[in-house]
Amino acid sequence: MRTRVAIIGAGPAGLFLAQLLDAAGIESVLVERRSAEYVKSRIRAGILESASVRLLREAGVGDRIARDGIEHRGIHLQWPGERRHLDFVDLTGKSVWVYGQTEVTKDLMAARERAGQAAFYEVSDVELHDVESDSPAVTFTDAEGRAQRIDAEIIAGCDGSHGPSRHSVPRQHRRTLERTYPFAWLGIRADVAPSTDELIYAWHPDGFALHSMRSPTVSRFYLQVRPDEDLADWSDDRIWDALSTRLGLDGWTLHPGPITERSVLPMRSVVTSPMRHGRLFLAGDAAHTVPPTGAKGLNLAIADVALLSRAIAEWLGAGDTRLADAYSDTALRRVWRCTHFSWWMTTMLHRHGDEFDAGLQLTQLQRVAQSSAAATELAENYSGIPIEGLP
């Protein structure tokens, strides 16, 4: 099989790249090791920056966001006895949207099916070949056990941190920097209406807690726990008791409900550079991972792909490689900015260290709540810094 762009990974990054390339008249083939149903059901991030919403709408996959997404003006920051609202619209003129990554994936998969371009799911033994040449290729075994080969002009690695793309960059050319955090999130999905109008990020002596939502009838909650936490130790009652304590505030009530999903999410920051090697380009989690505290992971993937699609279109359409040559450096500047913001939010809000560290965290939270300059800095980063190189 021949195609212009072989895309490894059919998560949001790979699907969005396929959508943008299709709009530019560039053929692509998707290769994904999981089933389509598994990809649709993966529970991930739920906050979209305003720029991400604009890009999805411009790509023709924003109708459901406009109908079902929940636009938020900001967030609440909380510490014992205090809850302060940061209004991003007042501070920066930009809002954010609550719309789950699962829903973004469904929208992009539906668009891919309408486009009628090839996609292989449930593949195995994926290997990349000759990425330093003018004729790179991808080989794999398809769901029926048949050997397949895709010859392409460009390979886009959108297959996450555990896929083969990142490791196809030779070790001597690849640099990976990592920070592992000494805590994790116990996350739950509950069939209960949110008890808040906007997300609550709460610092508490027992550990961080977050009240989020997915719809007017579905809420998501997160508790700081140990990375090796055993879910079996957390009954429904224990979870709701911990959430009530950490999110507690006089005059406000947390409403519990049936818990339908639960998981433990370890937290780390990873940045791999460069994001290009020969005719292989990395995007999304294949190149970087951030802790979810700053709501940057999905938005970084969308920004990567917006840059990459333009670079590929210029190269394959007009023979101009300037954007492709600049892609890694341009993308990494945003990656590092968002990695810093995610680290900053994580270390400010999660209980760690001793009482001295707790004092530093509380004074930082109070500074953000009381200073318009500090609040604006948080709001600018959370709602989304401009994507360099895009109008």
Side-chain angles (χ1 to χ4, degrees), residues 67-126:
R67 186 179 71 246
D68 300 332
I70 306 171
E71 187 174 13
H72 280 191
R73 292 182 63 95
I75 61 172
H76 297 285
L77 285 181
Q78 180 174 317
W79 58 96
E82 296 283 347
R83 180 180 295 171
R84 303 292 183 87
H85 183 248
L86 300 186
D87 192 307
F88 296 166
V89 177
D90 285 348
L91 292 165
T92 69
K94 295 184 293 185
S95 60
V96 295
W97 290 75
V98 174
Y99 191 73
Q101 180 173 314
T102 303
E103 303 307 314
V104 174
T105 302
K106 290 176 182 176
D107 295 341
L108 290 168
M109 289 182 79
R112 181 69 177 180
E113 291 169 7
R114 290 193 297 270
Q117 297 208 40
F120 292 87
Y121 288 90
E122 297 183 85
V123 308
S124 58
D125 304 319
V126 178

Side-chain angles (χ1 to χ4, degrees), residues 37-296:
E37 289 307 313
Y38 179 90
V39 172
K40 284 182 182 179
S41 65
R42 280 188 293 207
I43 303 299
R44 293 289 190 272
I47 300 294
L48 291 174
E49 298 172 1
S50 54
S52 297
V53 173
R54 175 176 61 84
L55 289 167
L56 290 165
R57 285 173 172 168
E58 290 173 354
V61 286
D63 290 348
R64 284 212 309 135
I65 296 175
R67 186 179 71 246
D68 300 332
I70 306 171
E71 187 174 13
H72 280 191
R73 292 182 63 95
I75 61 172
H76 297 285
L77 285 181
Q78 180 174 317
W79 58 96
E82 296 283 347
R83 180 180 295 171
R84 303 292 183 87
H85 183 248
L86 300 186
D87 192 307
F88 296 166
V89 177
D90 285 348
L91 292 165
T92 69
K94 295 184 293 185
S95 60
V96 295
W97 290 75
V98 174
Y99 191 73
Q101 180 173 314
T102 303
E103 303 307 314
V104 174
T105 302
K106 290 176 182 176
D107 295 341
L108 290 168
M109 289 182 79
R112 181 69 177 180
E113 291 169 7
R114 290 193 297 270
Q117 297 208 40
F120 292 87
Y121 288 90
E122 297 183 85
V123 308
S124 58
D125 304 319
V126 178
E127 294 186 18
L128 287 68
H129 307 272
D130 304 319
V131 298
E132 297 175 343
S133 75
D134 293 340
S135 304
V138 179
T139 59
F140 59 93
T141 302
D142 68 19
E144 284 72 44
R146 297 171 299 196
Q148 299 280 0
R149 178 185 175 95
I150 301 174
D151 293 289
E153 296 172 64
I154 288 172
I155 298 175
C158 305
D159 48 346
S161 58
H162 300 296
S165 295
R166 179 170 66 182
H167 301 287
S168 295
V169 179
R171 188 178 297 275
Q172 66 268 29
H173 298 297
R174 186 178 76 237
R175 185 185 191 208
T176 298
L177 301 175
E178 182 171 353
R179 171 66 51 85
T180 299
Y181 298 91
F183 33 75
W185 278 6
L186 190 164
I188 67 164
R189 182 182 188 270
D191 286 343
V192 62
S195 302
T196 178
D197 56 341
E198 294 185 332
L199 277 69
I200 303 172
Y201 286 79
W203 183 99
H204 190 274
D206 292 349
F208 169 75
L210 171 62
H211 185 340
S212 183
M213 64 281 291
R214 285 296 179 269
S215 77
T217 59
V218 176
S219 299
R220 286 194 68 83
F221 299 90
Y222 300 92
L223 288 165
Q224 177 185 342
V225 295
R226 301 188 316 272
D228 60 350
E229 199 74 44
D230 186 350
L231 276 176
D233 294 335
W234 286 83
S235 66
D236 289 10
D237 287 344
R238 184 185 177 191
I239 289 172
W240 288 116
D241 286 346
L243 287 168
S244 296
T245 297
R246 299 186 196 184
L247 294 167
L249 191 72
D250 288 346
W252 177 83
T253 301
L254 174 66
H255 301 291
I259 296 175
T260 58
E261 296 170 3
R262 69 188 75 203
S263 61
V264 172
L265 174 67
M267 303 181 73
R268 61 181 185 143
S269 298
V270 181
V271 178
T272 294
S273 60
M275 291 173 62
R276 176 199 176 181
H277 183 73
R279 297 214 171 201
L280 168 63
F281 293 81
L282 304 179
D285 286 358
H288 44 73
T289 304
V290 292
T293 324
K296 295 294 107 182

Side-chain angles (χ1 to χ4, degrees), residues 7-20 42 44-45 47-49 51-53 55-56 59 101 104-105 108 156-161 270 275 281-291 294-310 312 327 330-332 334-336 338-339 342 384-385 387 390:
I7 303 173
I8 304 175
L15 287 164
F16 189 43
L17 178 59
Q19 177 73 3
L20 293 174
R42 280 188 293 207
R44 293 289 190 272
I47 300 294
L48 291 174
E49 298 172 1
S52 297
V53 173
L55 289 167
L56 290 165
Q101 180 173 314
V104 174
T105 302
L108 290 168
C158 305
D159 48 346
S161 58
V270 181
M275 291 173 62
F281 293 81
L282 304 179
D285 286 358
H288 44 73
T289 304
V290 292
K296 295 294 107 182
L298 175 57
N299 294 290
L300 268 177
I302 290 172
D304 286 351
V305 168
L307 293 172
L308 181 55
S309 64
R310 293 181 73 236
I312 291 174
Y327 167 71
T330 303
L332 281 167
R334 182 183 179 85
V335 167
W336 275 114
C338 293
T339 298
S342 299
I385 60 174
I387 302 174
L390 294 187

